[in-house]
Coordinates of all heavy atoms in Angstrom, one line a residue:
M1 N 9.2 13.1 41.1 CA 9.2 11.7 40.9 C 9.2 11.0 42.2 O 9.9 11.3 43.1 CB 10.5 11.4 40.1 CG 10.6 10.0 39.6 SD 11.8 9.5 38.4 CE 12.9 10.9 38.4
T2 N 8.4 10.0 42.3 CA 8.3 9.2 43.6 C 8.7 7.8 43.3 O 8.8 7.4 42.2 CB 6.8 9.2 44.1 OG1 6.0 8.6 43.1 CG2 6.3 10.5 44.4
G3 N 9.1 7.1 44.3 CA 9.6 5.7 44.2 C 11.0 5.6 43.7 O 11.7 6.6 43.7
D4 N 11.4 4.4 43.3 CA 12.7 4.2 42.9 C 12.8 4.6 41.4 O 12.1 4.1 40.6 CB 13.1 2.7 43.1 CG 13.2 2.4 44.5 OD1 13.6 3.2 45.3 OD2 12.8 1.2 44.9
A5 N 13.8 5.4 41.1 CA 14.0 5.8 39.7 C 14.9 4.7 39.0 O 15.8 4.2 39.6 CB 14.7 7.1 39.6
H6 N 14.7 4.5 37.8 CA 15.5 3.6 37.0 C 15.6 4.1 35.5 O 14.8 4.8 35.1 CB 15.0 2.2 37.1 CG 13.7 2.0 36.5 ND1 12.5 2.3 37.1 CD2 13.2 1.6 35.2 CE1 11.4 2.1 36.3 NE2 11.9 1.6 35.2
G7 N 16.5 3.6 34.8 CA 16.6 4.0 33.4 C 15.7 3.1 32.5 O 15.6 1.9 32.8
R8 N 14.9 3.8 31.7 CA 14.0 3.0 30.8 C 14.5 3.3 29.4 O 14.7 4.4 28.9 CB 12.6 3.5 30.9 CG 11.7 2.8 29.9 CD 10.3 3.3 30.0 NE 9.4 2.7 29.0 CZ 8.1 2.8 29.0 NH1 7.5 3.4 30.1 NH2 7.4 2.2 28.1
V9 N 14.7 2.2 28.6 CA 15.1 2.2 27.2 C 13.8 2.4 26.4 O 13.0 1.5 26.5 CB 15.9 1.0 26.8 CG1 16.3 1.1 25.3 CG2 17.1 0.8 27.6
L10 N 13.8 3.5 25.7 CA 12.5 3.8 24.9 C 12.6 2.9 23.6 O 13.6 2.5 23.2 CB 12.4 5.2 24.6 CG 12.3 6.1 25.9 CD1 12.2 7.6 25.5 CD2 11.1 5.7 26.7
S11 N 11.4 2.8 23.0 CA 11.4 1.9 21.8 C 11.6 2.6 20.5 O 11.2 2.2 19.5 CB 10.0 1.2 21.8 OG 9.0 2.1 21.7
W12 N 12.2 3.8 20.6 CA 12.5 4.5 19.4 C 13.9 5.1 19.5 O 14.5 5.1 20.6 CB 11.5 5.7 19.1 CG 11.3 6.6 20.3 CD1 12.1 7.7 20.5 CD2 10.4 6.6 21.3 NE1 11.7 8.4 21.6 CE2 10.6 7.7 22.1 CE3 9.3 5.8 21.6 CZ2 9.8 8.0 23.2 CZ3 8.5 6.0 22.7 CH2 8.8 7.1 23.5
T13 N 14.4 5.6 18.4 CA 15.7 6.2 18.4 C 15.7 7.7 18.2 O 14.6 8.1 17.7 CB 16.6 5.5 17.2 OG1 15.9 5.8 16.0 CG2 16.8 4.0 17.4
G14 N 16.7 8.3 18.5 CA 16.8 9.8 18.3 C 17.2 10.0 16.8 O 17.4 9.1 16.0
A15 N 17.4 11.3 16.5 CA 17.7 11.7 15.1 C 19.0 11.1 14.7 O 19.2 10.9 13.5 CB 17.7 13.2 15.0
D16 N 19.9 10.8 15.6 CA 21.2 10.3 15.3 C 21.2 8.8 15.2 O 22.3 8.1 15.0 CB 22.2 10.8 16.3 CG 21.9 10.3 17.8 OD1 20.9 9.7 17.9 OD2 22.7 10.7 18.6
G17 N 20.0 8.2 15.4 CA 19.9 6.7 15.3 C 20.3 6.0 16.6 O 20.2 4.8 16.6
K18 N 20.6 6.7 17.6 CA 21.0 6.1 18.9 C 19.7 5.9 19.8 O 18.7 6.6 19.7 CB 22.0 6.9 19.7 CG 23.3 7.0 19.0 CD 24.3 7.8 19.8 CE 25.6 8.0 19.1 NZ 26.5 8.9 19.8
R19 N 19.8 4.9 20.6 CA 18.7 4.5 21.5 C 18.4 5.7 22.5 O 19.3 6.4 22.8 CB 18.9 3.3 22.3 CG 19.2 2.0 21.5 CD 18.0 1.6 20.6 NE 16.8 1.4 21.2 CZ 16.3 0.2 21.6 NH1 17.0 -0.9 21.3 NH2 15.2 0.1 22.1
C20 N 17.2 5.9 22.8 CA 16.8 6.9 23.8 C 16.6 6.3 25.2 O 15.9 5.2 25.3 CB 15.5 7.6 23.4 SG 15.6 8.5 21.9
I21 N 17.1 6.8 26.2 CA 16.9 6.3 27.6 C 16.4 7.5 28.5 O 16.9 8.6 28.3 CB 18.2 5.8 28.1 CG1 18.7 4.7 27.2 CG2 18.1 5.4 29.6 CD1 20.1 4.2 27.6
V22 N 15.5 7.2 29.3 CA 15.0 8.2 30.2 C 15.1 7.6 31.6 O 14.8 6.4 31.8 CB 13.5 8.6 29.8 CG1 12.6 7.5 30.0 CG2 13.1 9.8 30.7
V23 N 15.3 8.4 32.6 CA 15.3 8.1 34.0 C 13.9 8.4 34.5 O 13.4 9.5 34.5 CB 16.4 8.8 34.8 CG1 16.2 8.3 36.3 CG2 17.7 8.4 34.3
T24 N 13.2 7.3 35.0 CA 11.8 7.5 35.5 C 11.5 6.5 36.6 O 12.2 5.5 36.8 CB 10.9 7.2 34.2 OG1 9.5 7.3 34.7 CG2 11.1 5.8 33.6
D25 N 10.4 6.8 37.3 CA 9.9 5.8 38.3 C 8.9 4.8 37.6 O 8.4 4.0 38.3 CB 9.3 6.5 39.5 CG 8.2 7.4 39.2 OD1 7.7 7.4 38.0 OD2 7.6 8.0 40.1
G26 N 8.6 5.0 36.4 CA 7.7 4.2 35.7 C 6.2 4.6 35.8 O 5.3 4.0 35.2
N27 N 6.0 5.7 36.5 CA 4.6 6.2 36.6 C 4.3 7.6 36.1 O 3.2 8.1 36.2 CB 4.2 6.1 38.1 CG 4.2 4.8 38.7 OD1 3.7 3.8 38.0 ND2 4.8 4.6 39.8
G28 N 5.4 8.2 35.6 CA 5.2 9.6 35.2 C 4.7 9.8 33.8 O 4.4 8.8 33.1
L29 N 4.5 11.1 33.4 CA 3.9 11.4 32.1 C 4.7 10.8 30.9 O 4.1 10.3 30.0 CB 3.9 12.9 32.0 CG 3.3 13.5 30.6 CD1 1.9 13.0 30.5 CD2 3.4 15.0 30.6
L30 N 6.0 10.9 31.0 CA 6.9 10.3 29.9 C 6.7 8.8 29.8 O 6.6 8.3 28.7 CB 8.3 10.7 30.1 CG 9.2 10.3 28.9 CD1 8.7 10.9 27.6 CD2 10.7 10.8 29.2
S31 N 6.6 8.1 31.0 CA 6.4 6.7 30.9 C 5.1 6.3 30.3 O 4.9 5.4 29.5 CB 6.5 6.1 32.3 OG 7.9 6.1 32.8
R32 N 4.0 7.1 30.7 CA 2.7 6.8 30.2 C 2.7 7.1 28.7 O 2.0 6.4 27.9 CB 1.7 7.6 31.0 CG 1.4 7.1 32.4 CD 0.2 7.6 33.0 NE 0.2 9.1 33.0 CZ 0.8 9.9 33.9 NH1 1.4 9.3 35.0 NH2 0.7 11.2 33.9
S33 N 3.3 8.2 28.3 CA 3.4 8.5 26.8 C 4.2 7.4 26.0 O 3.7 7.0 25.0 CB 4.1 9.9 26.6 OG 3.4 10.9 27.2
A34 N 5.2 6.9 26.6 CA 6.0 5.9 25.9 C 5.1 4.6 25.8 O 5.2 3.9 24.8 CB 7.3 5.6 26.7
D35 N 4.4 4.3 26.9 CA 3.5 3.1 26.9 C 2.5 3.3 25.8 O 2.1 2.3 25.1 CB 2.8 3.0 28.2 CG 3.7 2.5 29.4 OD1 4.9 2.0 29.0 OD2 3.4 2.7 30.5
T36 N 1.9 4.5 25.6 CA 0.9 4.8 24.6 C 1.5 4.6 23.2 O 0.9 4.0 22.3 CB 0.3 6.2 24.8 OG1 -0.3 6.3 26.1 CG2 -0.7 6.5 23.7
V37 N 2.7 5.2 23.0 CA 3.4 5.0 21.7 C 3.6 3.6 21.4 O 3.3 3.1 20.2 CB 4.7 5.8 21.6 CG1 5.5 5.5 20.4 CG2 4.4 7.3 21.7
E38 N 4.1 2.8 22.3 CA 4.3 1.4 22.1 C 3.0 0.7 21.8 O 2.9 -0.2 20.9 CB 5.0 0.8 23.3 CG 6.4 1.2 23.5 CD 7.1 0.6 24.6 OE1 6.4 -0.1 25.4 OE2 8.3 0.9 24.8
R39 N 1.9 1.0 22.5 CA 0.6 0.3 22.3 C 0.1 0.6 20.9 O -0.4 -0.2 20.1 CB -0.4 0.8 23.4 CG -1.6 0.0 23.4 CD -2.5 0.3 24.6 NE -2.4 1.7 25.2 CZ -1.7 1.9 26.3 NH1 -1.0 0.9 26.9 NH2 -1.6 3.1 26.8
V40 N 0.2 1.9 20.4 CA -0.2 2.2 19.1 C 0.6 1.5 18.0 O 0.1 1.0 17.1 CB -0.1 3.8 18.9 CG1 -0.2 4.2 17.4 CG2 -1.1 4.6 19.8
R41 N 1.9 1.4 18.3 CA 2.8 0.7 17.3 C 2.4 -0.7 17.2 O 2.4 -1.3 16.1 CB 4.3 1.0 17.6 CG 4.8 2.3 17.3 CD 6.2 2.5 17.6 NE 6.6 3.8 17.1 CZ 7.8 4.3 17.3 NH1 8.8 3.5 17.9 NH2 8.2 5.5 16.8
L42 N 2.2 -1.4 18.3 CA 1.8 -2.8 18.3 C 0.4 -2.9 17.7 O 0.3 -3.9 16.9 CB 1.8 -3.3 19.7 CG 3.2 -3.4 20.4 CD1 3.0 -3.8 21.9 CD2 4.1 -4.4 19.7
D43 N -0.5 -2.1 17.9 CA -1.8 -2.2 17.3 C -1.7 -2.0 15.8 O -2.4 -2.7 15.0 CB -2.8 -1.1 17.8 CG -3.2 -1.4 19.3 OD1 -3.1 -2.6 19.7 OD2 -3.8 -0.5 19.9
M44 N -0.9 -1.1 15.3 CA -0.6 -0.8 13.9 C 0.0 -2.1 13.3 O -0.4 -2.5 12.1 CB 0.2 0.4 13.7 CG -0.5 1.7 14.0 SD 0.6 3.2 13.9 CE 1.1 3.1 12.2
A45 N 0.9 -2.7 13.9 CA 1.5 -3.9 13.4 C 0.5 -5.0 13.3 O 0.5 -5.8 12.3 CB 2.7 -4.4 14.3
A46 N -0.4 -5.2 14.3 CA -1.4 -6.2 14.2 C -2.3 -5.9 13.0 O -2.7 -6.8 12.3 CB -2.2 -6.2 15.5
G47 N -2.7 -4.7 12.8 CA -3.6 -4.3 11.6 C -2.8 -4.6 10.3 O -3.5 -5.1 9.3
L48 N -1.5 -4.4 10.3 CA -0.8 -4.6 9.1 C -0.7 -6.1 8.8 O -0.8 -6.5 7.6 CB 0.6 -4.0 9.2 CG 1.5 -4.2 8.0 CD1 0.8 -3.5 6.8 CD2 2.8 -3.5 8.3
L49 N -0.6 -6.9 9.8 CA -0.6 -8.3 9.6 C -1.9 -8.8 9.0 O -1.9 -9.7 8.1 CB -0.4 -9.1 10.9 CG 1.0 -9.1 11.5 CD1 0.9 -9.7 12.9 CD2 1.9 -9.9 10.6
D50 N -3.0 -8.2 9.4 CA -4.4 -8.6 8.8 C -4.4 -8.1 7.4 O -4.9 -8.9 6.5 CB -5.5 -7.9 9.7 CG -5.7 -8.5 11.0 OD1 -5.2 -9.6 11.3 OD2 -6.3 -7.8 11.9
H51 N -3.9 -7.0 7.1 CA -3.9 -6.4 5.8 C -3.0 -7.3 4.8 O -3.4 -7.7 3.7 CB -3.4 -5.0 5.7 CG -3.3 -4.5 4.3 ND1 -4.3 -4.3 3.5 CD2 -2.1 -4.2 3.6 CE1 -3.9 -3.8 2.3 NE2 -2.5 -3.8 2.4
A52 N -1.9 -7.7 5.3 CA -1.0 -8.6 4.6 C -1.6 -9.9 4.2 O -1.5 -10.4 3.1 CB 0.3 -8.8 5.3
A53 N -2.4 -10.5 5.2 CA -3.1 -11.8 5.0 C -4.1 -11.6 3.9 O -4.2 -12.5 3.0 CB -3.7 -12.3 6.3
D54 N -4.8 -10.6 3.9 CA -5.9 -10.3 2.9 C -5.2 -10.1 1.5 O -5.6 -10.6 0.6 CB -6.7 -9.1 3.2 CG -7.6 -9.2 4.5 OD1 -7.9 -10.4 4.8 OD2 -8.0 -8.2 5.0
L55 N -4.1 -9.3 1.5 CA -3.4 -9.1 0.2 C -2.8 -10.4 -0.4 O -2.9 -10.7 -1.6 CB -2.3 -8.1 0.5 CG -1.7 -7.5 -0.8 CD1 -2.7 -6.8 -1.6 CD2 -0.6 -6.5 -0.4
L56 N -2.3 -11.2 0.5 CA -1.7 -12.5 0.0 C -2.8 -13.5 -0.5 O -2.5 -14.2 -1.4 CB -0.9 -13.2 1.2 CG 0.4 -12.5 1.5 CD1 1.0 -13.1 2.8 CD2 1.4 -12.5 0.4
A57 N -3.9 -13.3 0.1 CA -5.0 -14.2 -0.4 C -5.6 -13.7 -1.7 O -6.4 -14.5 -2.4 CB -6.1 -14.3 0.7
D58 N -5.3 -12.5 -2.1 CA -5.9 -11.9 -3.3 C -4.9 -12.1 -4.5 O -3.9 -11.6 -4.6 CB -6.0 -10.3 -3.1 CG -6.7 -9.7 -4.3 OD1 -7.0 -10.3 -5.4 OD2 -6.9 -8.4 -4.2
E59 N -5.4 -13.0 -5.4 CA -4.6 -13.4 -6.6 C -4.3 -12.2 -7.5 O -3.4 -12.2 -8.3 CB -5.1 -14.6 -7.3 CG -5.1 -15.8 -6.4 CD -5.7 -17.0 -7.1 OE1 -5.9 -17.0 -8.4 OE2 -5.9 -18.1 -6.5
R60 N -5.1 -11.1 -7.4 CA -5.0 -10.0 -8.2 C -4.0 -8.9 -7.7 O -3.7 -7.9 -8.3 CB -6.3 -9.3 -8.4 CG -7.4 -10.2 -9.1 CD -8.8 -9.7 -9.1 NE -9.1 -9.6 -7.7 CZ -10.0 -8.7 -7.2 NH1 -10.6 -7.9 -7.9 NH2 -10.3 -8.8 -5.9
A61 N -3.4 -9.2 -6.5 CA -2.4 -8.3 -5.9 C -1.3 -8.1 -6.8 O -0.7 -9.1 -7.4 CB -2.0 -8.8 -4.5
T62 N -0.8 -6.8 -7.0 CA 0.2 -6.6 -7.9 C 1.6 -6.6 -7.1 O 1.6 -6.6 -5.9 CB 0.1 -5.1 -8.4 OG1 0.2 -4.2 -7.4 CG2 -1.2 -5.0 -9.2
A63 N 2.7 -6.7 -7.9 CA 4.0 -6.7 -7.3 C 4.2 -5.4 -6.5 O 4.8 -5.4 -5.4 CB 5.0 -6.9 -8.4
A64 N 3.8 -4.3 -7.1 CA 3.9 -3.0 -6.4 C 3.2 -3.0 -5.0 O 3.7 -2.5 -4.0 CB 3.4 -1.8 -7.2
Q65 N 2.0 -3.6 -5.0 CA 1.2 -3.6 -3.7 C 2.0 -4.5 -2.7 O 2.0 -4.2 -1.5 CB -0.2 -4.2 -4.0 CG -1.1 -3.3 -4.7 CD -2.4 -4.0 -5.1 OE1 -2.4 -5.0 -5.6 NE2 -3.5 -3.3 -4.8
L66 N 2.5 -5.6 -3.1 CA 3.2 -6.5 -2.3 C 4.5 -5.9 -1.8 O 4.8 -6.0 -0.6 CB 3.5 -7.9 -3.0 CG 2.2 -8.7 -3.3 CD1 2.6 -9.8 -4.2 CD2 1.6 -9.2 -2.0
R67 N 5.2 -5.2 -2.6 CA 6.4 -4.5 -2.2 C 6.2 -3.5 -1.2 O 6.9 -3.3 -0.2 CB 7.2 -4.0 -3.4 CG 8.2 -4.9 -4.1 CD 9.1 -4.2 -5.1 NE 8.4 -3.4 -6.1 CZ 8.0 -3.9 -7.2 NH1 8.1 -5.2 -7.5 NH2 7.3 -3.1 -8.0
F68 N 5.1 -2.7 -1.4 CA 4.8 -1.6 -0.5 C 4.4 -2.2 0.9 O 4.8 -1.8 1.9 CB 3.6 -0.8 -1.1 CG 3.1 0.3 -0.1 CD1 3.8 1.5 -0.1 CD2 2.1 0.1 0.7 CE1 3.4 2.5 0.7 CE2 1.6 1.1 1.6 CZ 2.3 2.3 1.5
T69 N 3.6 -3.3 0.9 CA 3.2 -3.9 2.1 C 4.4 -4.5 2.8 O 4.5 -4.4 4.1 CB 2.1 -5.0 1.9 OG1 1.0 -4.3 1.3 CG2 1.7 -5.7 3.1
L70 N 5.3 -5.1 2.1 CA 6.5 -5.7 2.6 C 7.4 -4.7 3.3 O 7.9 -4.8 4.4 CB 7.3 -6.5 1.6 CG 8.6 -7.2 2.1 CD1 8.2 -8.2 3.2 CD2 9.3 -7.9 1.0
A71 N 7.5 -3.5 2.7 CA 8.2 -2.4 3.2 C 7.6 -1.9 4.6 O 8.3 -1.7 5.6 CB 8.3 -1.2 2.3
R72 N 6.3 -1.8 4.6 CA 5.6 -1.4 5.8 C 5.7 -2.5 6.9 O 5.9 -2.2 8.1 CB 4.1 -1.1 5.6 CG 3.7 -0.1 4.6 CD 4.2 1.3 4.8 NE 5.6 1.6 4.7 CZ 6.2 1.8 3.5 NH1 5.6 1.7 2.4 NH2 7.5 2.1 3.5
M73 N 5.7 -3.8 6.5 CA 5.9 -4.8 7.5 C 7.3 -4.9 8.1 O 7.5 -5.1 9.2 CB 5.6 -6.2 6.8 CG 4.2 -6.4 6.5 SD 3.7 -8.0 6.0 CE 3.8 -8.8 7.6
R74 N 8.3 -4.5 7.2 CA 9.7 -4.3 7.7 C 9.8 -3.3 8.8 O 10.4 -3.4 9.8 CB 10.6 -4.1 6.6 CG 12.1 -4.1 7.0 CD 12.7 -2.7 6.6 NE 14.0 -2.5 7.3 CZ 14.1 -1.8 8.4 NH1 13.1 -1.1 9.0 NH2 15.3 -1.6 8.9
E75 N 9.1 -2.1 8.6 CA 9.1 -1.0 9.5 C 8.4 -1.5 10.8 O 8.9 -1.2 11.9 CB 8.3 0.2 8.9 CG 9.1 0.8 7.8 CD 8.3 1.8 7.0 OE1 7.0 2.0 7.3 OE2 8.8 2.4 6.0
A76 N 7.2 -2.2 10.7 CA 6.5 -2.6 11.8 C 7.3 -3.6 12.6 O 7.3 -3.6 13.8 CB 5.1 -3.2 11.4
L77 N 8.0 -4.5 11.9 CA 8.8 -5.5 12.6 C 10.0 -4.9 13.4 O 10.3 -5.2 14.5 CB 9.3 -6.5 11.6 CG 10.1 -7.7 12.3 CD1 9.4 -8.4 13.3 CD2 10.6 -8.6 11.1
A78 N 10.6 -3.8 12.8 CA 11.6 -3.1 13.5 C 11.0 -2.4 14.7 O 11.6 -2.4 15.8 CB 12.2 -2.0 12.6
D79 N 9.8 -1.8 14.6 CA 9.2 -1.3 15.8 C 9.0 -2.3 16.9 O 9.3 -2.1 18.1 CB 7.8 -0.7 15.4 CG 8.0 0.7 14.6 OD1 9.1 1.3 14.7 OD2 6.9 1.1 14.1
V80 N 8.4 -3.4 16.5 CA 8.1 -4.5 17.5 C 9.4 -5.0 18.1 O 9.4 -5.3 19.3 CB 7.2 -5.6 16.8 CG1 7.1 -6.8 17.7 CG2 5.8 -5.1 16.4
H81 N 10.4 -5.2 17.3 CA 11.7 -5.6 17.9 C 12.2 -4.6 18.9 O 12.7 -5.1 20.0 CB 12.7 -5.8 16.7 CG 13.9 -6.4 17.1 ND1 15.1 -5.7 17.2 CD2 14.3 -7.7 17.4 CE1 16.1 -6.5 17.6 NE2 15.6 -7.7 17.8
R82 N 12.2 -3.3 18.6 CA 12.7 -2.3 19.5 C 11.8 -2.4 20.8 O 12.3 -2.3 21.9 CB 12.7 -0.9 18.9 CG 13.8 -0.7 18.0 CD 13.9 0.8 17.7 NE 12.8 1.3 17.0 CZ 12.5 1.2 15.6 NH1 13.5 0.7 14.9 NH2 11.5 1.8 15.1
I83 N 10.5 -2.5 20.7 CA 9.7 -2.6 21.9 C 10.1 -3.8 22.7 O 10.2 -3.7 23.9 CB 8.2 -2.6 21.5 CG1 7.7 -1.3 20.9 CG2 7.3 -3.0 22.7 CD1 6.4 -1.3 20.2
A84 N 10.2 -4.9 22.1 CA 10.6 -6.1 22.8 C 12.0 -6.0 23.5 O 12.1 -6.4 24.6 CB 10.7 -7.4 21.9
E85 N 12.9 -5.4 22.8 CA 14.2 -5.1 23.4 C 14.1 -4.2 24.6 O 14.7 -4.4 25.6 CB 15.2 -4.5 22.4 CG 15.8 -5.6 21.4 CD 16.9 -5.0 20.5 OE1 16.7 -3.7 20.1 OE2 17.8 -5.6 20.2
S86 N 13.4 -3.1 24.4 CA 13.3 -2.1 25.5 C 12.6 -2.7 26.7 O 12.9 -2.4 27.8 CB 12.5 -0.8 25.0 OG 11.2 -1.1 24.8
R87 N 11.6 -3.5 26.5 CA 10.9 -4.2 27.6 C 11.8 -5.2 28.3 O 11.9 -5.4 29.5 CB 9.6 -4.8 27.2 CG 8.6 -3.7 26.9 CD 7.2 -4.3 26.5 NE 6.3 -3.2 26.2 CZ 5.1 -3.4 25.9 NH1 4.6 -4.6 25.8 NH2 4.3 -2.4 25.6
G88 N 12.5 -5.9 27.5 CA 13.5 -6.9 28.0 C 14.7 -6.3 28.8 O 15.2 -6.9 29.7
A89 N 15.0 -5.0 28.4 CA 16.1 -4.4 29.0 C 15.8 -4.1 30.5 O 16.7 -3.9 31.3 CB 16.5 -3.0 28.3
G90 N 14.5 -4.0 30.8 CA 14.0 -3.8 32.2 C 13.9 -5.0 33.0 O 13.6 -4.9 34.2
L91 N 14.2 -6.2 32.5 CA 14.0 -7.4 33.3 C 15.2 -7.5 34.1 O 16.4 -7.2 33.8 CB 14.0 -8.6 32.3 CG 12.7 -8.7 31.4 CD1 12.8 -9.8 30.5 CD2 11.4 -8.7 32.3
P92 N 15.1 -8.1 35.3 CA 16.2 -8.3 36.2 C 17.1 -9.3 35.7 O 16.7 -10.2 35.0 CB 15.5 -8.7 37.6 CG 14.1 -9.1 37.2 CD 13.8 -8.5 35.9

């Protein structure tokens, strides 16, 4: 590891539900992997927003479809919230 090491709060939790923290210089394999996971999760959330808009515009959407989409949106919002918190944790 080169440069100054610091703790990075990852945007996911461990099996016990606790936050994951890694000590990194911000340029290593784990940092790049974490960036990739965050990017994928944000892209998935954006796609879900588009799907939800289409579903809400469809008057034939069933209650089951809406509940399923709402459950996925809750998961996506939790992911986005954790990403925002983890990025904010690194602010001076």
Side-chain angles (χ1 to χ4, degrees):
M1 185 169 15
T2 61
D4 293 327
H6 64 278
R8 175 178 177 167
V9 179
L10 300 176
S11 63
W12 56 85
T13 59
D16 58 0
K18 293 182 181 175
R19 300 302 300 262
C20 298
I21 299 173
V22 64
V23 176
T24 178
D25 64 0
N27 298 312
L29 177 62
L30 187 55
S31 289
R32 290 191 305 274
S33 295
D35 291 342
T36 298
V37 168
E38 288 178 357
R39 191 169 27 260
V40 167
R41 287 180 172 178
L42 291 171
D43 288 346
M44 289 173 60
L48 185 56
L49 284 172
D50 291 340
H51 174 67
D54 292 341
L55 191 60
L56 289 170
D58 184 356
E59 294 181 11
R60 297 170 296 154
T62 66
Q65 289 172 312
L66 293 170
R67 272 194 305 276
F68 180 83
T69 301
L70 182 58
R72 302 298 73 79
M73 290 189 76
R74 186 238 166 258
E75 294 165 356
L77 181 58
D79 287 344
V80 170
H81 185 257
R82 279 192 301 272
I83 290 168
E85 281 186 326
S86 70
R87 291 184 180 179
L91 296 175

